[in-house]
Amino acid sequence: MLDICVRFNYRASTTRLINILRENNIVPGKRLEASLLYIENISSNEVLIERFKPICDLLNKALEEEEDDEKRIHATFLSYVAVVVADTNLEYVGKLLATFNEAREKNVYTFLNSEELNFLLTIPSLSYELLEEHIDSLLQKRKVTGFDSDELLIEEGTEYIELLEDVSATFDGIRSITKSRADGTTYMNRGVNILDRPEQLLDYMYKVGCMHRAKLEAAFDSIEDSFEQKVRIIDWGCGQGIASFIF
């Protein structure tokens, strides 16, 4: 949740969440700490530019000590650049890019010497929209431009559909299909990569399905057994529908 608030620069929500973490002695991690430096307590444009070094210090430590995904480090840095572009003028954007270029030339921070960030020095002017697109690309986020319910893709006549007919419509029944067919070779990057082949779906369900079930059952324990009125449940970003099965 904090990642989402930071990603879209929701400052009030970010501050509220951070306060909750601090009250419960929960450390957000160095990457998110770096994010807070361009969101919290910015009194002037100069302060925002001066935060370059402490932000990069934290991101470098996050990459070395905590993070296993360099793209998230790059996305966080670009979010900082996007805030400068959105909230200041060309003078300060120029100062930031000059500082960025100097740090790259001196090889001060490993994560800055990346092809992912080269475009910052190769285009005549930066726009907030361009940065947003680049961040979404790094985080593998897909934009939804429209949706027509008459064009729903209903899977029919496939081997998987035939397999489903022989098992119960439950999480355990559906996961049982994967046990003899998942080979573990297509499961990438702890499941955070976009899955685009049936083999990956089988591996994902087999390897982390039970972990998801445990998390969901713990969450469902806090839901009331009955409601005074009819409710609608939306399984947003449902993937293979694991949450709906378990519910």
Side-chain angles (χ1 to χ4, degrees):
M1 191 181 296
L2 183 56
D3 251 328
I4 292 171
C5 291
V6 168
R7 166 69 183 83
F8 294 105
N9 200 21
Y10 297 155
R11 300 187 181 188
S13 301
T14 298
T15 300
R16 175 66 181 134
L17 288 173
I18 284 296
N19 288 336
I20 292 172
L21 293 180
R22 288 168 177 165
E23 289 166 5
N24 290 277
N25 298 316
I26 299 173
V27 179
K30 290 182 173 57
R31 183 176 58 81
L32 283 172
E33 285 181 21
S35 302
L36 298 179
L37 289 179
Y38 59 80
I39 290 178
E40 288 190 314
N41 304 318
I42 303 297
S43 57
S44 68
N45 291 341
E46 291 288 353
V47 169
L48 192 55
I49 303 304
E50 290 169 0
R51 295 278 173 91
F52 178 91
K53 183 180 185 305
I55 286 171
C56 289
D57 285 340
L58 284 168
L59 291 178
N60 223 46
K61 288 180 180 179
L63 183 61
E64 293 173 354
E65 302 171 11
E66 297 175 351
E67 292 287 335
D68 59 353
D69 186 352
E70 192 173 11
K71 291 184 183 295
R72 293 174 69 85
I73 299 292
H74 293 150
T76 300
F77 178 77
L78 290 177
S79 293
Y80 165 51
V81 178
V83 168
V84 175
V85 170
D87 294 353
T88 70
N89 55 41
L90 290 176
E91 175 188 354
Y92 290 96
V93 174
K95 287 182 178 181
L96 177 63
L97 291 179
T99 304
F100 166 74
N101 194 25
E102 182 181 357
R104 278 171 59 101
E105 289 176 353
K106 293 181 178 179
N107 198 25
V108 180
Y109 302 106
T110 305
F111 75 91
L112 291 183
N113 298 320
S114 164
E115 292 183 4
E116 304 286 359
L117 303 180
N118 282 346
F119 80 102
L120 290 175
L121 299 174
T122 59
I123 58 177
S125 62
L126 283 176
S127 70
Y128 186 79
E129 292 73 19
L130 176 64
L131 289 163
E132 290 281 286
E133 289 179 7
H134 211 77
I135 293 168
D136 283 339
S137 175
L138 285 170
L139 297 177
Q140 293 185 306
K141 304 298 182 185
R142 294 174 174 171
K143 289 188 176 181
V144 178
T145 55
F147 185 77
D148 187 347
S149 60
D150 293 331
E151 298 179 358
L152 290 176
L153 176 61
I154 306 299
E155 187 173 348
E156 296 177 331
T158 65
E159 180 188 12
Y160 188 65
I161 291 299
E162 293 176 359
L163 292 170
L164 284 175
E165 292 176 353
D166 296 329
V167 299
S168 61
T170 63
F171 172 80
D172 286 328
I174 292 168
R175 185 171 179 273
S176 68
I177 295 175
T178 70
K179 291 182 179 179
S180 62
R181 291 169 177 80
D183 60 16
T185 61
T186 63
Y187 177 68
M188 301 295 290
N189 196 19
R190 297 180 295 110
V192 299
N193 285 1
I194 293 175
L195 309 180
D196 54 16
R197 301 201 311 277
E199 296 82 7
Q200 293 174 334
L201 295 171
L202 291 172
D203 275 357
Y204 183 84
M205 179 70 88
Y206 181 64
K207 286 199 168 185
V208 300
C210 288
M211 178 190 72
H212 284 311
R213 174 169 59 183
K215 291 192 297 183
L216 289 161
E217 286 176 344
F220 294 156
D221 283 342
S222 64
I223 297 178
E224 296 291 336
D225 290 333
S226 61
F227 298 90
E228 295 181 359
Q229 59 187 15
K230 186 176 181 179
V231 298
R232 173 182 293 178
I233 297 174
I234 300 175
D235 194 351
W236 181 261
C238 65
Q240 291 170 265
I242 295 175
S244 292
F245 291 139
I246 295 169
F247 186 80

